[in-house]
Amino acid sequence: MDFSENVVLKEHYSFLVADAQGKVDGGERGLYNRDTRMLSRYAWSWRCAQRELTPLVVDTPRPDTMNAHYALIEGPSQLLAVSRTLTIEAAVMRDELELANTSLEPLRLDFDLRLAADFCDLFEARGWPGQQREPATIDLDGAVTFAYTASDGVLQEAAVSLGGGAPALTREEGGVRASWSLELAPGEQRAIKVTVGIDNPLDRPPTDAVSYERWRGSFGSLWELPSSRGAHRPALERAVDDMRGLLLFTPEGPLPAAGIPWFVAAFGRDALLTAYFLLPFRPDVAAGTLRYLAKWQADSLDERRAAQPGKIMHELRFGELSRTGLTPHSPYYGSIDATPLFLMLLGAYVDSTGDRGLLDELKPAWEAALAWSVEHGDLDGDGFLEFDTGPVGKTGHLSVQSWKDSHDSMSHSGGVLASGPLAVSEVQGYAYAAFMSAAGWYRELGDASRAADWQRRATALRDAFNRSFWVEELNSYAMALDGEKRPLAVLNSDAGHLLWCGMVPPERSKALVGTLFSAPSWSGWGLRTLGAGEVRYNPVSYHNGSVWPHDTALFALGLLRYGFAAEAARVREAVFDLAARQPDQRLPELVGGYERGDRPPVPYPVACRPQAWDAAALLHLASLE
């Protein structure tokens, strides 16, 4: 499903996926809450004089609102109009219609709303084998209420109230049809309001939700920067609103969901990087993210969920499949990088805010995360963090557990996929930065012995990494070491993360920067995940040649760290240009790796829109001017 051709709205844990006209009728579309599809059909049709009304405009001014206008036009003039405002709240969807006869004659408008609910798990909607379940019950007493009791006893309901006239309600296969027939005098206007209330015992009201107005006020300094003027301002305004729309408001604080629509959930890696990018404007998002992930930090071994003591989670879901153990996402811990990124974000937060209170509060969590790095993260005792790629076939498990988590993303120069425990390059950079932060924390605590220990670990990791990963003929770093410690000697974008982490010796930085800006790696829109010319290079792939803006933004931060200011400005401008070339001014999750030219960037068809770390990356890049 191409999300750029759909209407996608969200607030807190509720979201709607509809077609380009705001209709839900088949496929993956629906109204969702906490990973359950509460409505599988929500489809209007309007007819006047046996003719369908024509949609004239559909607009989503912010992530929780859709505005639309439908009309019957005859000759040079509109005869009848339907103006529609659809909004999503935390557990409510509101659909307000204004009907207007703009002609000089009486008109009759016949219109229907078709409704259905299947209460399927989000994973099923996206292709997981469907579960056998009893159909939802339907109650037509006053409102249309769909109810379903899940296999674990959880009762969920969607109640649809129909205001503004008394529609006729009829049952049809799989659902209900509400039908209106209204006579409108010349110039007459009528209002119809539909409210869908979600009753899900797994849901919790948002805690201290921030209004769009207050959220926008946090970015006042942004509009004083040069990048916020002219052609780039619409993209930045869109990114500010998108980040507000992506937030989940938890008791621990605000937490960014990874992306809309299929990743309205807590993701360790995505939330941590997004919160890092937002530090110049909203450090409270970092604090909320750190507290939330600390709450769900693993404290025991659980192979089914890839949990180990001290490990930070990858993904938490609330659907029936996860609750009943058919998927491991309750939560799932299959991520090699969330734990060092947790430590990196904590260090960046303390450096940015000077708030040592959070460091003291989360001391048990960060010490457990450090212990995980030594006791579980390093599988063979060589000092590198690794993940096991097998055995393949564990239900719901990822075979690749770094950010390039496609099963085919880790390959040797001959195209053969790597096997065995993998030590991925950027993860070693994250670990180095995390260990350096830990050394500083212990020094501040007066624990010289532990400070020296983590300083030694950091230095040893950096030295070993530069010996084992540097590929002289590429003037770059291997993407990973396989289970036999053979380097994956391919051009890759992960090397840009190493500059961000400070893993690259200064004397080697110029050569590495030259490689990353070379024709095989730099597309003009950003870094290719895999260099053009590599055997597995494919410009329209998820991780084998596509361009990810957040990945490129980390490269820009690394350039600044090493003093390459002009090069960083070049990267920043490319990312801004990419956003400006999008019809909705929204930086995409990824685009094709084709060389930049006169044609627009090639979209990746199923990319999230919006996506958290890309919206946040755009804002962070703007703050660097």
Side-chain angles (χ1 to χ4, degrees):
M1 181 182 292
D2 185 347
F3 301 134
S4 65
E5 298 178 358
N6 283 268
V7 170
V8 181
L9 306 178
K10 173 194 171 291
E11 178 63 9
H12 196 44
Y13 274 101
S14 295
F15 67 94
L16 175 77
V17 184
D19 70 9
Q21 303 306 323
K23 179 184 294 186
V24 173
D25 195 8
E28 302 167 341
R29 299 183 178 103
L31 174 64
Y32 293 83
N33 176 268
R34 297 272 180 165
D35 304 311
T36 296
R37 183 158 63 186
M38 309 301 291
L39 288 180
S40 53
R41 182 182 300 138
Y42 187 88
W44 286 104
S45 63
W46 293 282
R47 298 171 306 284
C48 182
Q50 303 304 312
R51 291 167 57 189
E52 293 285 338
L53 273 64
T54 301
L56 297 184
V57 63
V58 177
D59 179 44
T60 52
R62 65 188 206 186
D64 65 345
T65 303
M66 181 198 85
N67 296 322
H69 189 91
Y70 311 84
L72 177 65
I73 296 177
E74 188 173 279
S77 299
Q78 172 184 270
L79 300 183
L80 190 142
V82 176
S83 295
R84 182 183 182 195
T85 299
L86 181 66
T87 57
I88 290 284
E89 300 173 15
V92 177
M93 184 174 78
R94 303 186 192 278
D95 201 355
E96 298 179 346
L97 310 177
E98 291 290 337
L99 318 175
N101 181 351
T102 58
S103 76
L104 301 177
E105 302 292 335
L107 292 173
R108 190 181 80 181
L109 177 63
D110 298 305
F111 54 105
D112 298 327
L113 176 61
R114 298 174 63 226
L115 301 159
D118 61 4
F119 293 94
C120 78
D121 190 289
L122 179 140
F123 285 123
E124 292 175 82
R126 295 178 56 203
W128 196 278
Q131 302 300 301
Q132 293 293 326
R133 56 168 52 89
E134 292 295 320
T137 61
I138 303 174
D139 184 354
L140 302 183
D141 184 14
V144 179
T145 301
F146 298 94
Y148 168 68
T149 301
S151 57
D152 58 350
V154 173
L155 172 62
Q156 298 165 315
E157 295 182 343
V160 185
S161 67
L162 307 164
L169 300 178
T170 56
R171 295 177 184 266
E172 58 182 17
E173 185 177 358
V176 173
R177 182 189 297 267
S179 302
W180 289 259
S181 184
L182 299 180
E183 296 284 348
L184 297 175
E188 184 179 1
Q189 296 185 6
R190 296 281 294 273
I192 301 291
K193 185 173 182 178
V194 178
T195 303
V196 181
I198 294 170
D199 186 356
N200 184 354
L202 303 170
D203 200 22
R204 299 288 183 273
T207 303
D208 297 327
V210 179
S211 70
Y212 276 85
E213 290 70 24
R214 281 180 52 207
W215 177 259
R216 290 165 180 161
S218 310
F219 294 83
S221 61
L222 178 65
W223 311 122
E224 301 172 4
L225 300 171
S227 60
S228 69
R229 304 186 188 115
H232 296 321
R233 186 176 181 109
L236 287 168
E237 290 176 339
R238 172 68 84 171
V240 168
D241 277 1
D242 281 349
M243 276 313 314
R244 164 55 186 81
L246 282 158
L247 291 180
L248 307 171
F249 296 100
T250 77
E252 292 72 36
L255 169 80
I260 304 173
W262 304 132
F263 301 105
V264 178
F267 275 72
R269 173 193 309 126
D270 298 59
L272 289 160
L273 284 172
T274 299
Y276 176 90
F277 285 136
L278 289 176
L279 274 173
F281 305 103
R282 295 291 307 216
D284 61 323
V285 176
T289 298
L290 289 164
R291 287 189 173 105
Y292 187 91
L293 293 176
K295 172 185 175 181
W296 289 99
Q297 187 176 31
D299 58 8
S300 60
L301 288 168
D302 183 347
E303 183 179 359
R304 185 183 67 84
R305 296 185 298 129
Q308 297 162 335
K311 199 174 186 183
I312 298 299
M313 74 168 189
H314 173 61
E315 179 181 359
L316 174 60
R317 296 289 189 168
F318 297 95
E320 186 175 0
L321 297 188
S322 298
R323 301 195 312 269
T324 58
L326 294 176
T327 73
H329 300 84
S330 58
Y332 174 54
Y333 292 86
S335 165
I336 189 64
D337 50 8
T339 308
L341 284 171
F342 175 88
L343 296 165
M344 279 190 73
L345 178 61
L346 180 58
Y349 172 85
V350 173
D351 291 344
S352 175
T353 66
D355 177 12
R356 284 195 50 85
L358 187 64
L359 186 66
D360 295 338
E361 174 190 338
L362 297 182
K363 187 170 184 281
W366 60 259
E367 287 195 319
L370 288 168
W372 172 87
S373 302
V374 176
E375 297 168 11
H376 298 283
D378 181 2
L379 296 180
D380 55 12
D382 65 351
F384 298 137
L385 298 189
E386 298 120 346
F387 60 86
D388 194 347
T389 58
V392 177
K394 290 181 181 178
T395 302
H397 281 233
L398 294 166
S399 59
V400 176
Q401 296 183 6
S402 54
W403 87 263
K404 293 179 179 175
D405 56 8
S406 301
H407 75 281
D408 62 348
S409 66
M410 293 289 137
S411 62
H412 286 281
S413 59
V416 176
L417 294 180
S419 60
L422 296 186
V424 179
S425 65
E426 77 278 5
V427 175
Q428 316 315 315
Y430 304 161
Y432 167 74
F435 295 171
M436 290 293 290
S437 289
W441 300 337
Y442 280 120
R443 276 193 294 272
E444 292 181 22
L445 291 171
D447 192 333
S449 176
R450 288 187 178 181
D453 178 49
W454 286 105
Q455 182 69 55
R456 282 194 298 270
R457 288 183 185 277
T459 301
L461 174 58
R462 187 183 189 196
D463 292 346
F465 177 84
N466 278 281
R467 287 194 303 270
S468 301
F469 278 75
W470 182 253
V471 181
E472 195 68 40
E473 57 270 27
L474 294 180
N475 265 337
S476 188
Y477 289 93
M479 188 158 57
L481 302 182
D482 71 6
E484 298 179 7
K485 305 304 176 185
R486 296 178 302 171
L488 276 59
V490 293
L491 291 174
N492 64 90
S493 63
D494 307 69
H497 298 220
L498 299 171
L499 292 166
W500 172 52
C501 297
M503 192 67 150
V504 181
E507 65 273 13
R508 191 172 274 172
S509 62
K510 185 175 181 180
L512 177 59
V513 170
T515 297
L516 291 172
F517 275 118
S518 68
S521 290
W522 180 254
S523 77
W525 296 116
L527 286 178
R528 295 185 178 95
T529 45
L530 186 68
E534 301 293 351
V535 171
R536 284 190 174 267
Y537 171 72
N538 182 338
V540 185
S541 66
Y542 208 50
H543 291 124
N544 280 325
S546 56
V547 171
W548 289 63
H550 91 281
D551 184 33
T552 297
L554 292 175
F555 173 41
L557 301 188
L559 290 169
L560 284 176
R561 178 171 187 157
Y562 281 79
F564 296 94
E567 291 82 356
R570 178 185 176 189
V571 175
R572 185 172 58 236
E573 194 65 21
V575 174
F576 276 112
D577 288 350
L578 177 57
R581 292 295 295 270
Q582 304 303 305
D584 57 3
Q585 298 290 305
R586 181 174 274 144
L587 196 62
E589 183 182 13
L590 69 157
V591 295
Y594 290 106
E595 190 72 19
R596 179 174 178 175
D598 295 334
R599 62 187 177 183
V602 176
Y604 188 80
V606 293
C608 284
R609 299 180 78 92
Q611 210 275 350
W613 59 19
D614 289 324
L618 194 71
L619 299 172
H620 193 95
L621 289 177
S623 76
L624 299 177
E625 289 190 319

